[in-house]
Amino acid sequence: MSSVEEFRTEVRSWLHDNLTGEFAALRGRGGPGREHEAFAERLAWERHMAAAGWTCVGWPAEYGGRGATLEQQVAFHEEYALADAPARVGHIGEQLLGPTLIAFGTPEQRDRFLPRIVAVEELWCQGYSEPDAGSDLANVRTRAELHGDEWVVTGQKIWTSLAHESDWCFVVARTEPGSTRHRGLSYLLVPLDQPGVEVRPITQLTGTSEFNEVFFDGARTQASDIVGAPGEGWKVAMATLGFERGVSTLGQQVGFRRELESVIELAKRNGAAEDPLIRDRIAQAWIGLEIIRGNALRMLDGVAAGAPGPEASIGKIFWATWHRELGELAMDVCGAGGMLAAGEPYDLTDWQRLFLFSRSDTIYAGSNEIQRTVIAERVLGLPKEVRP
Ligand SMILES: Cc1cc2nc3c(=O)[nH]c(=O)nc-3n(C[C@H](O)[C@H](O)[C@H](O)COP(=O)(O)OP(=O)(O)OC[C@H]3O[C@@H](n4cnc5c(N)ncnc54)[C@H](O)[C@@H]3O)c2cc1C
């Protein structure tokens, strides 16, 4: 048996043996549009995983990971999704901040923060977007000034996923007064549990609140809690975005396949599968999923070679658009009844939630339009877009 197959078997049997007892009820809980589900219990589960060494498996062993190869990490995420294990709560620290600190952090920062991400003792959120800085992230206005041995942060972030559950936020802030665009920005690590921080949940289409407004009003963090040099946060922030499109996308596809299967099941059951147009769209969706898998594997080859290339943008546009269309297909398969909530407590069905949440897929982590601009400029060599 290859080392990948051995690893896969180990993951599978650990999940089989441990998703039992108090954790059995967590199968399928959480995830996009459902992050509020059993959050405390999912945190306990993830700490249980940590105690057995199953968090941060792709990190080098010296930082508390398992040093799993790319193929092993893919196997881990696939098995995790196949076991219907609960959606992760520490993924922003594990997949975004941790790799950033490993690449750009000081030894002291790694010692201070990485073990608590591995142990799921501290949860992180990403403070990039602002009301006037989303696609145009370089327009960040949140500012930070060094007062003695502390940064003092003032400004507003928005759409900050899971800020209401997080202990820390990595914040892109302007530290050089008068600077513009991507110059003069810094990447700061800011604790959220302090008087200068207010987190206000935003209600989403799904009726739940997974993201938030975060207000910094004289919030403080130590002078040493800056990643990279002052004024050079843009480079660090872009590296974090690169890590965002990692191997977990292959686990995500197992989830997509499940959703498609449930739509197919429903279509067979309620007769929608006899409609030639629905049949055609179902077949298209299946083909699309195969293409997503091919794209993801190509992208991971690029990651293994050092950096995700344009495949990352192709992959992002393709899976986001595919998933949004799957939500529309689910609604059409449901028929007119799909527009109604079944009755008290007016919970959404999985298909309704899929439809509503997937509207955001083509926006976050870079909208479709922005991905196409990346391809136009960096791959096709078209002139840079004109900016006002
Ligand atoms: C579910 C979800 C979770 C999120 N989580 C986080 C988080 O944890 N942390 C965080 O910092 N942010 C988060 N975001 C924010 C996300 O990164 C932004 O929504 C995204 O970058 C788009 O920015 P915006 O919302 O300001 O829209 P805008 O940038 O105002 O864009 C509006 C529309 O204009 C288009 N557009 C903008 N500029 C151009 C251009 N130059 N050319 C062509 N079209 C253009 C866009 O494609 C879009 O259709 C999240 C968003 C969502 C939906």
Side-chain angles (χ1 to χ4, degrees):
M1 205 165 26
S2 78
S3 69
V4 178
E5 283 315 303
E6 271 170 28
F7 187 80
R8 185 184 283 281
T9 307
E10 199 186 339
V11 175
R12 186 178 298 173
S13 67
W14 188 85
L15 288 169
H16 176 268
D17 294 346
N18 285 270
L19 260 176
T20 53
E22 59 182 309
F23 297 129
L26 295 181
R27 284 181 194 266
R29 308 302 299 280
R34 300 163 41 165
E35 292 293 2
H36 60 291
E37 288 179 355
F39 197 90
E41 294 83 352
R42 284 159 53 212
L43 180 62
W45 158 251
E46 208 153 303
R47 288 182 175 156
H48 179 75
M49 288 174 65
W54 288 113
T55 54
C56 307
V57 293
W59 293 13
E62 62 177 306
Y63 300 123
R66 286 192 176 228
T69 63
L70 202 54
E71 287 83 2
Q72 288 173 329
Q73 293 176 56
V74 169
F76 174 83
H77 287 291
E78 286 182 345
E79 288 303 320
Y80 194 84
L82 279 170
D84 213 13
R88 301 291 295 272
V89 296
H91 53 291
I92 299 178
E94 173 168 333
Q95 290 168 18
L96 301 189
L97 184 71
T100 306
L101 287 181
I102 290 171
F104 294 94
T106 61
E108 293 74 26
Q109 288 169 343
R110 292 180 192 145
D111 288 349
R112 161 64 184 84
F113 294 111
L114 296 182
R116 295 180 206 201
I117 294 175
V118 173
V120 208
E121 278 169 15
E122 287 176 343
L123 300 183
W124 286 84
C125 60
Q126 178 180 28
Y128 281 22
S129 304
E130 299 184 0
D132 289 318
S135 302
D136 189 14
L137 183 61
N139 204 32
V140 157
R141 296 212 180 114
T142 293
R143 59 179 204 281
E145 290 166 11
L146 202 51
H147 288 196
D149 58 359
E150 286 183 324
W151 292 103
V152 179
V153 186
T154 304
Q156 185 199 342
K157 296 292 173 180
I158 194 166
W159 318 125
T160 322
S161 298
L162 295 177
H164 58 299
E165 302 283 5
S166 297
D167 306 288
W168 286 78
C169 183
F170 46 96
V171 174
V172 177
R174 201 161 285 289
T175 48
E176 288 175 12
S179 63
T180 56
R181 310 298 305 159
H182 54 274
R183 284 174 294 276
L185 298 170
S186 294
Y187 191 105
L188 301 177
L189 309 176
V190 182
L192 292 179
D193 186 12
Q194 57 167 313
V197 176
E198 189 189 345
V199 175
R200 290 189 205 153
I202 301 171
T203 304
Q204 301 167 184
L205 273 179
T206 46
T208 54
S209 297
E210 287 161 23
F211 50 29
N212 305 267
E213 293 178 288
V214 180
F215 296 87
F216 297 99
D217 184 9
R220 286 166 186 270
T221 195
Q222 289 177 29
S224 57
D225 286 336
I226 180 171
V227 187
E232 292 189 7
W234 183 258
K235 191 175 71 182
V236 186
M238 291 303 107
T240 305
L241 285 184
F243 294 126
E244 197 164 359
R245 312 181 190 113
V247 282
S248 61
T249 53
L250 280 175
Q252 172 194 45
Q253 282 164 50
V254 177
F256 286 178
R257 196 167 294 278
R258 287 252 184 73
E259 289 172 345
L260 176 58
E261 279 164 7
S262 94
V263 171
I264 295 172
E265 260 317 297
L266 176 65
K268 285 180 184 165
R269 220 170 43 236
N270 75 2
E274 285 158 33
D275 177 335
L277 291 178
I278 295 279
R279 295 162 73 88
D280 189 84
R281 285 167 64 196
I282 287 176
Q284 283 292 350
W286 185 84
I287 293 165
L289 199 50
E290 295 302 305
I291 294 174
I292 289 172
R293 185 173 169 80
N295 269 332
L297 292 172
R298 278 197 315 156
M299 182 191 80
L300 289 177
D301 271 351
V303 173
E311 296 84 4
S313 288
I314 297 171
K316 170 73 197 351
I317 292 180
F318 202 89
W319 73 250
T321 309
W322 179 90
H323 201 224
R324 193 179 63 185
E325 285 171 2
L326 181 68
E328 292 163 7
L329 174 60
M331 284 295 91
D332 290 340
V333 168
C334 287
M339 290 187 280
L340 299 175
E344 291 263 28
Y346 302 114
D347 249 358
L348 297 175
T349 64
D350 284 348
W351 298 300
Q352 289 168 332
R353 196 175 285 112
L354 164 66
F355 170 66
L356 293 173
F357 196 88
S358 62
R359 310 311 293 174
S360 72
D361 285 328
T362 52
I363 300 172
Y364 67 80
S367 69
N368 278 12
E369 290 78 11
I370 295 306
Q371 305 294 346
R372 280 194 281 270
T373 299
V374 169
I375 291 170
E377 293 181 359
R378 295 195 207 148
V379 182
L380 304 178
L382 300 190
K384 287 222 176 260
E385 71 173 335
V386 180
R387 287 186 179 276

